[in-house]
Amino acid sequence: MEKKVKALYVITIACIVACLGMQGWWLYGRYVYSLAEIEKVTTAALAAAVDDYRAVRSRAMGQMDKNSRFFMTNYNVDHSRNLSQSTMDAKATVTITGYDMFEVLGIPRGKVGKKEIEAFRERLKTDLSHPGIVEEKAYALKGISNKVDLMEALADVAMDYLKPFTVAGMDSVLKSRDISASARIVSADSMIWKSRAIKNASLFAPEMQVLFPVNALDRKAVVFSCRIPPDKVLGSMLWTFILVISVSLMLIACLVWQVATIARLNRIDKTRRSFIQTMVHELKRPVSTLKMCVSSLENEKMMADETVRQEIIGESRTAISNLSAYFSRLRDITYNEAGQIPLNIEACSLRELVSEEIRKTDRPHGKSVRILDVSAEEIEVVCDPLHISQMLGNLIENAVKYSGDAVEIRIDFHRDDHCVEISVADDGNGISEADCRRIFDKFYRTRSASDSDKPGVGLGLAYVRLLAEAHGGSVSVRSREGEGSVFTITIPQ
Ligand code: ADP
């Protein structure tokens, strides 16, 4: 049984650890998934901000600059498709021509109004013959998969020449969209056509980095760094967390409860066995005395001797009264309340009761037991004498049982105004502070008592307390481990 319970403990602990590990693993997976979702949303927000900034720059391109120039862009693509593949090679040119308003209209430089600007625009619609400022950029491209992307990239070249992408401009768009990210412009080793994540956030390094092309043909890109604090991710998993923690706690509580129940049943079984053993041990002595007395009655020679006869009758009486005391003890301990115990109150001499108990005490063979009545007073006490004897008997028996090879027991009693105090002190094993709080509980035995082979079921002191309370009194203990104990019974008078 012990082995099985131990195995059960180990299995339960392993189950708890495995269960917690699995829950932790699952939670981590859920965390990674939530983080990826947040990253996806953040990347989409950054893409929208980049598009926004591009639209702002595109609008600015269509307006006259501060030097009264208006620019026109022209793209030329000469491509050949690779028949074996789905890509194409191309030679592309971006031509940017800037027209000066004063030169085109042939008017002196100076202040201009709306009328002149309108006339300038109209002239450019029909006449582009006037020489402008030209910037021309040519690219030889290989493996282009999409012509639309190429045209967009050519437009980006022109836009980047006329309205360059700036970190400050991007920051103001990010701010207007309430996105907290920092941007930095980078030059790539190769052409970048699509945005891509260059660093994903994790639980311990919560910063993500995404790269967006700014001017693919000139290999210019912008990198955004964005912090995704763990509490943001955890916040999005709040209900999952609460659910997992509650289920785990419930599971652990069930397992612990199950083990505790099995341990309790195991303890009860052990107590039951020990109880039966002690009962048999206690009953054996008076029964064998009675057996001996009955066989002596058959011996005519012994019966003829009056002294021997009286001795045998006396022994039989003691054995019978021991049996009866034992049964009443068994009966009394089953009462739940001290008030239910019947009392036969009478006045009796305390010294006589103490002397009788000292005389009756069993002294184990080979052990030195010294029991002293150290009281100076002669006290008459009103009580149930049988119960006082049983209390004293139990305390003396324990003092003998829980001590080494030699023990000295000192019994003292005195009267106060309203009560009688009887103390039984020994210089035995002593009791720890934690155990002192529990030794009067039914079936409680200290660990050292349970581990040793000393008989007992943990009912002795519970019985002493029950009898003291039946008299309206109490019992207390003062003890130090290794030094001894003092039990004090108080009976009100
Ligand atoms: P039992 O003797 O059957 O174990 P008791 O109720 O009489 O039960 O005692 C409860 C526990 O208190 C014992 O297991 C023992 O460890 C401790 N105890 C009782 N009396 C003494 C004592 N005089 N010295 C040391 N320990 C004691």
Side-chain angles (χ1 to χ4, degrees):
M1 188 72 174
E2 281 289 300
K3 267 190 187 162
K4 277 188 188 163
V5 173
K6 266 187 194 152
L8 194 77
Y9 282 153
V10 172
I11 292 171
T12 306
I13 290 169
C15 282
I16 291 175
V17 171
C19 169
L20 288 179
M22 270 164 61
Q23 298 280 26
W25 188 51
W26 184 77
L27 266 184
Y28 182 69
R30 190 73 183 75
Y31 180 88
V32 171
Y33 173 78
S34 302
L35 189 63
E37 284 296 303
I38 293 177
E39 275 188 343
K40 225 192 251 172
V41 173
T42 311
T43 306
L46 289 171
V50 168
D51 285 348
D52 217 0
Y53 187 36
R54 172 196 275 257
V56 171
R57 287 159 66 219
S58 172
R59 270 198 302 278
M61 259 172 76
Q63 282 154 18
M64 219 164 58
D65 77 354
K66 58 180 187 307
N67 296 322
S68 302
R69 286 175 306 176
F70 188 73
F71 291 90
M72 299 199 69
T73 48
N74 189 26
Y75 312 119
N76 187 9
V77 178
D78 179 9
H79 68 276
S80 59
R81 188 161 284 282
N82 289 339
L83 288 177
S84 56
Q85 294 155 7
S86 56
T87 57
M88 60 187 184
D89 297 341
K91 277 195 177 132
T93 328
V94 181
T95 314
I96 304 160
T97 316
Y99 297 93
D100 186 303
M101 185 176 71
F102 299 101
E103 279 179 20
V104 172
L105 294 181
I107 55 171
R109 287 187 187 275
K111 228 175 148 239
V112 287
K114 262 189 182 167
K115 221 173 82 192
E116 284 83 3
I117 295 172
E118 204 44 50
F120 179 42
R121 282 188 190 281
E122 282 306 311
R123 177 72 68 83
L124 286 182
K125 278 184 194 163
T126 52
D127 177 16
L128 291 176
S129 60
H130 204 280
I133 305 149
V134 176
E135 169 77 20
E136 199 168 77
K137 287 189 156 201
Y139 300 92
L141 307 163
K142 279 195 185 306
I144 305 293
S145 58
N146 189 332
K147 201 173 168 193
V148 179
D149 285 350
L150 176 60
M151 295 312 288
E152 247 178 47
L154 291 171
D156 281 346
V157 171
M159 196 188 292
D160 202 32
Y161 178 77
L162 294 170
K163 295 287 164 198
F165 185 102
T166 62
V167 169
M170 189 68 241
D171 277 350
S172 71
V173 175
L174 290 175
K175 207 173 269 171
S176 70
R177 287 182 156 252
D178 210 14
I179 301 172
S180 78
S182 67
R184 107 188 114 88
I185 294 168
V186 293
S187 312
D189 295 340
S190 56
M191 287 180 190
I192 296 159
W193 296 91
K194 293 251 176 294
S195 66
R196 66 161 192 262
I198 53 171
K199 188 173 157 226
N200 287 321
S202 71
L203 182 61
F204 304 105
E207 190 187 71
M208 65 175 274
Q209 288 184 353
V210 206
L211 177 141
F212 286 89
V214 168
N215 175 353
L217 299 183
D218 288 334
R219 300 172 182 189
K220 193 169 160 188
V222 58
V223 172
F224 293 102
S225 302
C226 226
R227 256 183 69 81
I228 303 179
D231 55 333
K232 189 175 172 186
V233 188
L234 294 178
S236 73
M237 298 167 56
L238 187 67
W239 285 109
T240 316
F241 247 124
I242 293 175
L243 196 78
V244 167
I245 288 172
S246 341
V247 169
S248 302
L249 285 180
M250 264 163 64
L251 204 71
I252 291 169
C254 284
L255 286 172
V256 170
W257 189 19
Q258 198 178 336
V259 170
T261 309
I262 291 169
R264 195 167 52 84
L265 291 179
N266 193 29
R267 229 177 17 248
I268 291 174
D269 186 56
K270 219 168 135 189
T271 308
R272 185 181 55 81
R273 272 184 283 136
S274 172
F275 182 70
I276 292 170
Q277 254 177 30
T278 316
M279 209 163 80
V280 169
H281 176 81
E282 296 262 344
L283 291 178
K284 230 172 170 176
R285 216 160 18 119
V287 168
S288 29
T289 313
L290 280 175
K291 230 166 125 188
M292 238 169 58
C293 293
V294 169
S295 34
S296 310
L297 286 177
E298 287 170 350
N299 188 326
E300 281 177 13
K301 219 167 142 196
M302 279 172 100
M303 284 303 104
D305 187 334
E306 184 55 23
T307 345
V308 175
R309 206 162 67 94
Q310 285 308 322
E311 240 175 58
I312 291 170
I313 291 171
E315 291 274 330
S316 311
R317 225 179 245 136
T318 315
I320 288 170
S321 76
N322 276 349
L323 268 180
S324 147
Y326 191 68
F327 286 127
S328 58
R329 182 166 145 184
L330 278 180
R331 181 206 58 203
D332 290 348
I333 204 73
T334 58
Y335 289 125
N336 279 331
E337 283 179 30
Q340 294 174 326
I341 296 179
L343 296 177
N344 294 316
I345 301 287
E346 58 184 78
C348 47
S349 155
L350 201 46
R351 191 171 304 282
E352 268 176 33
L353 290 178
V354 169
S355 306
E356 180 59 13
E357 279 314 306
I358 294 176
R359 195 189 60 78
K360 275 186 354 198
T361 302
D362 249 355
R363 282 141 171 102
H365 186 69
K367 178 165 180 164
S368 146
V369 177
R370 231 160 87 87
I371 311 176
L372 307 171
D373 173 354
V374 294
S375 173
E377 290 178 59
E378 200 59 59
I379 293 176
E380 192 165 78
V381 59
V382 179
C383 61
D384 183 327
L386 187 66
H387 286 167
I388 297 291
S389 304
Q390 280 168 339
M391 286 191 258
L392 280 169
N394 264 300
L395 295 180
I396 298 171
E397 192 188 308
N398 276 351
V400 174
K401 198 159 53 164
Y402 302 111
S403 53
D405 292 340
V407 62
E408 186 175 283
I409 303 164
R410 299 167 77 85
I411 304 172
D412 196 3
F413 46 85
H414 63 266
R415 182 192 279 274
D416 265 357
D417 285 349
H418 306 292
C419 60
V420 168
E421 265 188 13
I422 312 163
S423 64
V424 178
D426 67 65
D427 56 359
N429 299 347
I431 308 162
S432 73
E433 213 180 306
D435 280 331
C436 277
R437 275 181 243 124
R438 301 191 58 192
I439 49 173
F440 294 103
D441 293 349
K442 269 185 194 174
F443 296 111
Y444 184 79
R445 301 199 79 199
T446 61
R447 184 172 279 273
S448 57
S450 315
D451 291 348
S452 68
D453 57 354
K454 289 184 177 136
V457 281
L459 284 177
L461 291 180
Y463 185 55
V464 172
R465 184 171 71 173
L466 198 73
L467 294 184
E469 285 172 359
H471 283 82
S474 63
V475 58
S476 61
V477 63
R478 265 184 304 119
S479 186
R480 253 172 195 263
E481 255 181 308
E483 290 183 15
S485 319
V486 183
F487 286 87
T488 308
I489 302 167
T490 310
I491 306 285
Q493 293 294 294

